[in-house]
Amino acid sequence: MRPTAAPGDARERRTAPWRELPWLTLLLAVGIVAALAFIAGVLVEQHHLK
């Protein structure tokens, strides 16, 4: 049989605080998403022009 936790134990567990992303990492992530969106747009346009 498993021991039951005391009612106060659940409140003592805290989740890790949200860490701020460095601005360079955020900038690179936005750049990658923008580049992928641009490539997808080019491929869609090429497909519709055929």
Side-chain angles (χ1 to χ4, degrees):
M1 199 151 125
R2 290 175 40 182
T4 58
D9 287 348
R11 279 185 245 140
E12 290 176 12
R13 286 190 210 150
R14 295 183 184 150
T15 58
W18 176 256
R19 293 184 347 159
E20 239 181 87
L21 284 177
W23 65 270
L24 183 58
T25 303
L26 187 61
L27 186 65
L28 287 173
V30 168
I32 289 170
V33 170
L36 290 174
F38 178 78
I39 292 169
V42 168
L43 291 175
V44 167
E45 189 173 339
Q46 284 179 351
H47 178 69
H48 282 288
L49 290 178
K50 287 183 178 180

